[in-house]
């Protein structure tokens, strides 16, 4: 899981960033884990969040390893293998954190496995280029969502979440390869644009289902745990994520 950056000739990374307007942290967002975690509902929400992130990182590792099999060159295979290794490193950091707060990682991940597995089953790419677009679109939407949530987390958890969202280089890689493919064969762009729109819809639906199914996590988003976050703000959050997606499609050379 990572923020998908784009190369200099495309849309700048800052233009695709999303998140609520920066304000001085208050409440839980100004506290460390030791203080914030005394609220049992907040504690449960963070366990859910870290569990979802951890399974997402594990799935990203597996997907990149599979994508490497479709890579057209040995250099491409090696590049994806390196990115997969970085994803697994993120997964291990989240596992370590869950154990540090006395939570069994597999138990924290298990509630999210079915939904994420179903998302990946429904959006299995048919070729190398679709795999690149899927990682660029799907992982970017997930990263945007987690960055939005991170702004309301305690300082210790926020630092960890932002660290595991660090770019692994796949964003630049995907943009370069997809744009080059479209330049060679322009009609490829139409097929990939349709694929990207499908991925956008599936990714947002999956994120909304995950939140709706987990009471502590949904409470953190709509209020009662996280300061200043109400139902209307959740709607604005998804609007910001959609706008960022449109800019990323432009970076890929595709119509959103």
């Amino acid at each position: 899981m990572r923020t998908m950056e784009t190369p200099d000739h495309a849309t700048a990374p800052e233009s695709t960033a999303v998140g609520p307007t920066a304000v001085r942290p208050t409440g839980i967002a100004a506290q460390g884990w030791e203080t914030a975690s005394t609220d049992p509902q907040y504690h449960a929400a963070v366990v859910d969040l870290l569990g979802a992130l951890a399974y997402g990182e594990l799935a990203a590792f597996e997907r990149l390893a599979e994508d490497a099999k479709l890579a057209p060159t040995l250099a491409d295979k090696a590049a994806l293998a390196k990115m997969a290794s970085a994803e697994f490193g993120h997964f291990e950091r989240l596992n370590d954190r869950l154990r540090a707060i006395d939570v069994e990682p597999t138990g924290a991940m298990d509630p999210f496995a079915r939904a994420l597995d179903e998302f990946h089953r429904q959006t299995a790419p048919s070729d190398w280029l679709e795999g690149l677009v899927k990682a660029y679109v799907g992982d970017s939407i997930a990263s945007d969502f987690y960055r939005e949530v991170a702004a309301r987390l305690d300082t210790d958890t926020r630092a960890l979440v932002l660290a595991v969202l660090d770019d692994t280089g796949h964003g630049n890689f995907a943009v370069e390869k997809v744009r080059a493919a479209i330049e060679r064969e322009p009609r490829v762009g139409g097929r990939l644009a349709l694929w990207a729109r499908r991925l956008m819809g599936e990714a947002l639906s999956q994120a909304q289902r995950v939140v709706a199914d987990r009471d502590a996590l949904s409470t953190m988003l709509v209020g009662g745990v996280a300061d200043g976050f109400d139902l209307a703000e959740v709607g604005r959050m998804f609007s910001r994520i959609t706008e960022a997606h449109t800019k990323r499609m432009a970076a890929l050379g595709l119509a959103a």
Side-chain angles (χ1 to χ4, degrees), residues 117-147:
D117 287 349
E118 181 64 13
F119 167 74
H120 288 303
R121 186 190 68 78
Q122 292 179 351
T123 58
S126 62
D127 60 20
W128 160 251
L129 290 174
E130 285 190 2
L132 291 177
V133 172
K134 178 180 175 179
Y136 184 79
V137 172
D139 288 353
S140 294
I141 291 171
S143 291
D144 286 346
F145 172 75
Y146 288 123
R147 285 182 181 277

Side-chain angles (χ1 to χ4, degrees), residues 36-47 215-217 219-220 223-225:
S37 63
T38 58
D39 181 330
Q41 193 170 44
Y42 177 75
H43 185 285
V46 169
V47 169
D215 289 343
L217 200 54
T219 299
M220 185 169 69
V225 175

Side-chain angles (χ1 to χ4, degrees), residues 1-2 53-67 80 83-85 87-88 120 135 139 170:
M1 199 82 61
R2 59 273 184 195
L53 261 174
Y55 195 78
E57 294 293 347
L58 182 59
F61 161 74
E62 292 176 331
R63 190 185 65 247
L64 283 172
E66 287 297 313
D67 288 349
L80 287 180
M83 296 169 202
S85 177
E87 298 288 13
F88 195 76
H120 288 303
D139 288 353
H170 200 213

Side-chain angles (χ1 to χ4, degrees), residues 20-240:
T21 304
V23 295
R24 183 181 297 277
T26 60
I28 287 175
Q31 299 172 6
W33 170 253
E34 291 300 324
T35 301
S37 63
T38 58
D39 181 330
Q41 193 170 44
Y42 177 75
H43 185 285
V46 169
V47 169
D48 275 353
L49 183 66
L50 297 183
L53 261 174
Y55 195 78
E57 294 293 347
L58 182 59
F61 161 74
E62 292 176 331
R63 190 185 65 247
L64 283 172
E66 287 297 313
D67 288 349
K69 297 178 183 178
L70 300 173
T73 71
L74 184 58
D76 291 336
K77 288 180 185 291
L80 287 180
K82 183 177 181 180
M83 296 169 202
S85 177
E87 298 288 13
F88 195 76
H90 291 165
F91 166 72
E92 289 185 312
R93 288 189 66 175
L94 290 160
N95 263 14
D96 290 345
R97 179 58 178 166
L98 285 164
R99 291 193 181 97
I101 62 175
D102 299 320
V103 175
E104 172 55 42
T106 54
M109 290 186 288
D110 187 64
F112 306 98
R114 183 174 180 178
L116 286 170
D117 287 349
E118 181 64 13
F119 167 74
H120 288 303
R121 186 190 68 78
Q122 292 179 351
T123 58
S126 62
D127 60 20
W128 160 251
L129 290 174
E130 285 190 2
L132 291 177
V133 172
K134 178 180 175 179
Y136 184 79
V137 172
D139 288 353
S140 294
I141 291 171
S143 291
D144 286 346
F145 172 75
Y146 288 123
R147 285 182 181 277
E148 291 271 1
V149 176
R152 275 90 180 167
L153 297 173
D154 66 271
T155 57
D156 299 309
T157 305
R158 181 166 64 248
L160 172 63
V161 168
L162 294 178
V164 300
L165 294 177
D166 278 349
D167 179 49
T168 63
H170 200 213
N172 286 343
F173 184 83
V175 169
E176 178 185 347
K177 299 297 180 181
V178 170
R179 290 177 72 98
I182 293 173
E183 288 176 6
R184 290 192 302 270
E185 190 177 355
R187 66 179 182 177
V188 168
R191 172 172 67 87
L192 294 179
L194 289 173
W195 173 242
R197 283 197 286 273
R198 178 187 167 193
L199 290 168
M200 175 66 177
E202 292 284 355
L204 286 180
S205 294
Q206 190 268 340
Q208 290 166 344
R209 284 195 300 270
V210 167
V211 171
D213 288 345
R214 306 299 293 177
D215 289 343
L217 200 54
S218 61
T219 299
M220 185 169 69
L221 286 174
V222 302
V225 175
D227 298 329
F229 213 159
D230 57 22
L231 192 57
E233 177 56 22
V234 172
R236 290 190 289 271
M237 175 187 73
F238 281 109
S239 292
R240 289 192 293 269

